[in-house]
Amino acid sequence: MTIKMKTATPLAAALLAVGLSGCGGDVNTNSNFSAVDTTKPVSDWKLVWSDEFEGNSIDRRKWTFEIDCRGGGNQEKQCYTDSPENAFVSNGTLKIVARPAAEGAPLPYTSARLNTRYQGDWKYGRIEVRAKAPSGQGSWPAIWMMPTDEVYGGWPKSGEIDIFEAVNLKTVDAEGNVEAKVYGTLHYGRDWPNNASSGKSYTLPNGANPADSFNTYAIEWQEGEIRWYVNGYLYQTQQASRVRTNSRGELIGLNHRGWFAEYFNIATGKLETQYNAAPFDQRFYLILNLAVGGNWPENVNNLGIDAAAFENGQTFEVDWVRVYECQANPRNGKGCETIRAGYLDSDTLVTGQAPIPVPPSTGVAQNLTIFDGTPNPNWPAWDCCGGSTPAIVQDASRGNVYEFVVGASPTVNGFISRSAFVTPPGVASPFDASPLKDKGSISFDMLVVSPPANPGSSWLFKVESNENSSAVELPLTASSEGVAPVTGQWQSYTFPLSMLDAAGLDLSAIDVVMIFPAWGSGEGAVYRVTNVKISQPAEFPELVIFNNGANADWPMWDCCGGSTPIEVLDEETDRLAAQFTVGASPTVLGFYNRSPLGGGNPFDASALLADGVVQFNVKVVNAPANPASTWLFKIEAAGGDSAVELPLSAGNGGQAPVTGQWATYTFSLQSLFDAGLDISAIDVLMIFPAWGTGEGAVFRVNEVKIFNPNAGNNQLVLFRDAVKAGWELWDCCAGSTPKVVDVGAPYGKVAQFEILGWPETVLGFLADEGEAFDASALLANGSVSFDMRVVSAPTNPNSSWFFKIESSGAATAVELALSAGNNGVAPVTGEWQRYSFSLQSLFDAGLDISDISVLMVFPAWGTGQGAVYQIDNVEISNN
């Protein structure tokens, strides 16, 4: 009854995950139905407090009158009194009567509100009230509970339990609908106006109305769960939120979104969100009252207050109040549950309003492209409120762009990644930009085709995070460019993440980016947007000197022999390579950046010092005529002021080049720095036989680069020609040995699995102890993907194919139809098909992506006889 607005609450969608777990040969599911035997009557409730209203007066040892004219915090139109005209006992019932007030009274009605505070206070139990409700537009009876001690703070932080409420009963609207609903609700969470509530309504069967007869309204309240009943029928269950953690114990989501509490942790002194039984784990007292009017009843049904309905008073009549304690366990109230099959299904279990926790940042800086000509299915273009559908159109200078139109209805437009707006194959993917805070930005290009008809309209940028728990709105002129849109001109806008962070945006879960004319002033605007990104400059610089072709700033070079290095198509790799030839004159060869031959822009590798490498591939086509010749690598910087020369074999574990074979050579920048190289101005890289010994040598070089091999390298390649070290091809239960077979181009070596006899089994890839893969850094854009070909289909024509993935010890698992990874297309015998499952969808289905240890592909259990299938290119990587 305190500061509340009633709305219909969406029900939770229950997810029942059934399937193989661990695959040790036992496929039985494990469900626990032992908590309560629903076939036996409950007999362990003990009556601990009651009022049967059998006397001639209200028992002041049990009830306290509240006397005020404050309107209950809901703009109600009654004063509460202790007058016997407003509350009395007669004929075995309590009557609470709302009447017109005397002329000149502060409010137009009087009524009564009684509570049991300090005379009846309980923590857990069954509370029953048998009552007959009043009727009429403006009537608002309630049976509810408030916290005795408010240990978590003022309303609603310490909670409110509404056992029964109804408004405007028996009113009839223009369509002939008769109001007959009763409501049960919880209030909790943050301070008003950011308070939360959840609940649902119930309608008596057979057209009965709560204002026509007595009905019994009850709750059963135990630690972490509250259930609502009308005449013994359980119509609603609410529970505390249940959290999800990963293998590191970090909070990553909710298995059930229920209630929550927010209060200061005395130990840390910080305001914290608590996902436990709080605030409904303290003493509460009971309240009975009848309000007249207020925010809720006056704004529904026939609106306002029907004075005629209250002319002779409206009565809320209570037969009895009874409070029971569960003797099985009074401490937590568990063990006396009156439940039924399905009491936790989607029709009964209510989804609460607990904030969904943002998974901890991986700390890995990743860029996000929302739109650059190709739609990102996880971030659809969006018209909030105007009813238009943003369209991709061809722009003469930018190609595919999104075009937004603002009509007569006020709206905002942009891109959104929330589940209510994302359709398959996309998944809601709030973006963790926190690792980009210092150097990153949100940027986009925009062209105003037609400005708003209102010349006073201004253009705005807005970004929201975590379901609008934080947001920042700025004029476009606040961008780094500081320019206002000019009709007919493409313009770029950049908003540094550090600025948005300072303005209060939670960077860890960005889910909406909007560009729009100011609300209500944009009619007539048509504008185009592209290159929408949340990104930062490359964290690690990279220099590609030669990769299937030359870098013009780093031409191939023969120092002193007079030859001209050339590009040739290498027949083994089918790629261009740089080819060098050593003649009679001593020489060194390689790649040269100094002007005028090269670009004259030395490479600064300072940012790569810790993990960076110089890496290239070499194949000796013809060895030097001198069998004593040795191969060398040399690198110089700053015009030759510093240089390091090493045996080429030092870059390949001591292995010298073998004629006719490609080999990769890697030199760490740290070792070159330690040897004296100035890595801030690298300008020459050389590979050559030792001076004066190389005549007759011909060699090729490719994939020459200076880079950080760990930058963005968060992927797992499970199988490509061979299974990854630390993983194995695996038959769960039948004892077969999956093998690697060569199927020729283009797939080459692939993994082959066979189900040729009994027992049945599942097959796939299994991590060795300690080799589980942490895919947390790939959550936003990553997927599990592979190629598969069915060689021989199962002999059972009704067999279907499945994909399953598990974390270590099968602590979490997700099983899906294989076709879900290929737009609903089932495997076709003899054809290679690509399958991809987004990490976000697997995470949302309950997988702990920080600890992936099993990946399986198999025909349905018991139907796979005769199946032979091949899998290749298995990886967990960014899309």
Side-chain angles (χ1 to χ4, degrees), residues 585-839:
S585 299
T587 191
V588 293
L589 308 103
F591 303 89
Y592 193 89
N593 177 258
R594 298 173 193 157
S595 61
L597 179 63
N601 50 345
F603 181 65
D604 183 358
S606 302
L608 303 175
L609 179 59
D611 299 308
V613 298
V614 179
Q615 189 176 83
F616 48 86
N617 297 334
V618 174
K619 180 171 77 171
V620 176
V621 179
N622 296 321
N626 184 340
S629 180
T630 59
W631 288 86
L632 301 174
F633 162 73
K634 187 174 185 180
I635 188 167
E636 295 183 356
D641 288 347
S642 68
V644 173
E645 182 176 297
L646 297 167
L648 185 60
S649 60
N652 188 24
Q655 300 297 310
V658 176
T659 302
Q661 294 183 12
W662 281 101
T664 300
Y665 299 87
T666 304
F667 299 86
S668 78
L669 283 167
Q670 186 69 59
S671 67
L672 298 174
F673 176 83
D674 293 341
L677 183 69
D678 175 6
I679 64 170
S680 70
I682 297 170
D683 56 11
V684 178
L685 187 152
M686 294 170 274
I687 304 124
F688 55 94
W691 184 268
T693 69
E695 185 175 1
V698 178
F699 61 101
R700 295 175 181 174
V701 181
N702 201 357
E703 297 187 49
V704 186
K705 54 186 176 179
I706 304 174
F707 71 113
N708 182 346
N710 298 318
N713 186 24
N714 298 297
Q715 68 176 7
L716 171 70
V717 178
L718 270 181
F719 190 96
R720 187 170 293 147
D721 292 327
V723 68
K724 177 178 170 55
W727 287 69
E728 62 182 277
L729 305 180
W730 177 64
D731 179 337
C732 151
C733 318
S736 76
T737 302
K739 53 195 174 185
V740 177
V741 299
D742 194 331
V743 298
Y747 286 92
K749 294 178 180 179
V750 301
Q752 181 164 299
F753 302 93
E754 301 175 355
I755 306 177
L756 300 179
W758 291 97
E760 271 293 348
T761 191
V762 295
L763 308 102
F765 303 84
L766 175 68
D768 295 342
E769 184 72 25
E771 292 292 331
F773 180 63
D774 181 357
S776 302
L778 304 173
L779 178 61
N781 299 299
S783 63
V784 180
S785 55
F786 52 88
D787 296 317
M788 176 178 148
R789 174 173 67 176
V790 176
V791 178
S792 299
T795 55
N796 184 335
N798 296 319
S799 181
S800 55
W801 289 85
F802 289 91
F803 163 79
K804 187 172 186 181
I805 187 166
E806 295 182 355
S807 59
S808 292
T812 64
V814 175
E815 181 177 305
L816 299 168
L818 184 60
S819 59
N822 189 23
N823 298 313
V825 178
V828 177
T829 302
E831 293 185 9
W832 282 100
Q833 293 167 283
R834 185 71 173 167
Y835 299 90
S836 184
F837 300 86
S838 78
L839 283 168

Side-chain angles (χ1 to χ4, degrees), residues 351-366:
T351 298
Q353 296 298 312
I356 299 172
V358 177
S361 172
T362 64
V364 177
Q366 298 184 82

Side-chain angles (χ1 to χ4, degrees), residues 257-410:
R257 188 180 187 187
W259 70 67
F260 73 103
E262 183 182 87
Y263 55 85
F264 281 96
N265 183 316
I266 297 175
T268 65
K270 296 181 179 179
L271 187 66
E272 296 180 356
T273 297
Q274 300 293 329
Y275 299 96
N276 51 36
F280 303 108
D281 61 350
Q282 303 294 322
R283 297 190 305 162
F284 277 64
Y285 62 92
L286 189 65
I287 304 171
L288 305 174
N289 73 286
L290 172 54
V292 182
N295 296 335
W296 181 15
E298 290 187 59
N299 287 286
V300 295
N301 301 109
N302 296 330
L303 307 181
I305 299 171
D306 180 6
F310 290 89
E311 183 176 2
N312 297 313
Q314 281 291 337
T315 301
F316 183 24
E317 191 170 1
V318 181
D319 190 3
W320 42 255
V321 178
R322 297 168 183 168
V323 180
Y324 300 85
E325 182 181 80
C326 178
Q327 294 303 288
N329 196 332
R331 183 183 60 83
N332 59 26
K334 297 180 180 180
C336 300
E337 293 90 338
T338 309
I339 60 175
R340 57 174 172 79
Y343 88 108
L344 294 179
D345 64 16
S346 59
D347 289 329
T348 309
L349 180 63
V350 172
T351 298
Q353 296 298 312
I356 299 172
V358 177
S361 172
T362 64
V364 177
Q366 298 184 82
N367 293 340
L368 171 68
T369 298
I370 295 175
F371 178 77
D372 65 349
T374 301
N376 181 337
N378 301 337
W379 280 82
W382 169 69
D383 177 340
C384 152
C385 320
S388 76
T389 301
I392 293 179
V393 300
Q394 273 286 323
D395 183 86
S397 63
R398 300 300 179 96
N400 285 342
V401 300
Y402 261 113
E403 185 169 274
F404 298 94
V405 177
V406 181
S409 299

Side-chain angles (χ1 to χ4, degrees), residues 490-682:
W490 277 103
Q491 294 167 282
S492 297
Y493 298 89
T494 306
F495 293 86
L497 290 168
S498 57
M499 177 176 73
L500 301 174
D501 174 72
L505 182 69
D506 174 6
L507 299 181
S508 67
I510 295 173
D511 53 11
V512 181
V513 173
M514 293 170 272
I515 308 120
F516 55 96
W519 183 266
S521 69
E523 184 175 1
V526 179
Y527 54 106
R528 297 176 176 179
V529 176
T530 192
N531 292 333
V532 187
K533 299 178 180 179
I534 306 177
S535 62
Q536 69 176 17
E539 191 69 25
F540 300 102
E542 180 176 306
L543 171 65
V544 177
I545 294 174
F546 191 103
N547 185 20
N548 199 34
N551 179 339
D553 285 346
W554 285 78
M556 299 174 289
W557 171 67
D558 180 340
C559 152
C560 319
S563 76
T564 302
I566 59 173
E567 293 182 0
V568 298
L569 183 66
D570 183 79
E571 59 278 5
E572 182 179 349
T573 63
D574 198 33
R575 291 168 60 84
L576 290 176
Q579 180 165 295
F580 301 89
T581 302
V582 182
S585 299
T587 191
V588 293
L589 308 103
F591 303 89
Y592 193 89
N593 177 258
R594 298 173 193 157
S595 61
L597 179 63
N601 50 345
F603 181 65
D604 183 358
S606 302
L608 303 175
L609 179 59
D611 299 308
V613 298
V614 179
Q615 189 176 83
F616 48 86
N617 297 334
V618 174
K619 180 171 77 171
V620 176
V621 179
N622 296 321
N626 184 340
S629 180
T630 59
W631 288 86
L632 301 174
F633 162 73
K634 187 174 185 180
I635 188 167
E636 295 183 356
D641 288 347
S642 68
V644 173
E645 182 176 297
L646 297 167
L648 185 60
S649 60
N652 188 24
Q655 300 297 310
V658 176
T659 302
Q661 294 183 12
W662 281 101
T664 300
Y665 299 87
T666 304
F667 299 86
S668 78
L669 283 167
Q670 186 69 59
S671 67
L672 298 174
F673 176 83
D674 293 341
L677 183 69
D678 175 6
I679 64 170
S680 70
I682 297 170

Side-chain angles (χ1 to χ4, degrees), residues 41-122:
V42 176
S43 59
D44 210 13
W45 289 114
K46 178 184 177 182
L47 185 68
V48 294
W49 192 97
S50 67
D51 196 335
E52 304 293 326
F53 302 112
E54 292 176 340
N56 296 317
S57 62
I58 294 171
D59 188 343
R60 297 298 185 106
R61 295 169 300 176
K62 295 180 177 179
W63 300 97
T64 297
F65 282 86
E66 299 182 30
I67 302 174
D68 64 63
C69 295
R70 294 177 301 192
N74 301 291
Q75 307 301 313
E76 298 158 17
K77 302 303 188 296
Q78 81 290 320
C79 287
Y80 288 126
T81 80
D82 61 355
S83 167
E85 291 189 349
N86 293 120
F88 58 92
V89 171
S90 66
N91 299 321
T93 64
L94 167 70
K95 282 86 170 175
I96 299 176
V97 185
R99 302 178 181 276
E103 187 174 348
L107 291 172
Y109 296 93
T110 62
S111 188
R113 182 157 118 173
L114 288 72
N115 74 63
T116 66
R117 192 174 192 179
Y118 306 124
Q119 301 172 105
D121 306 88
W122 310 280

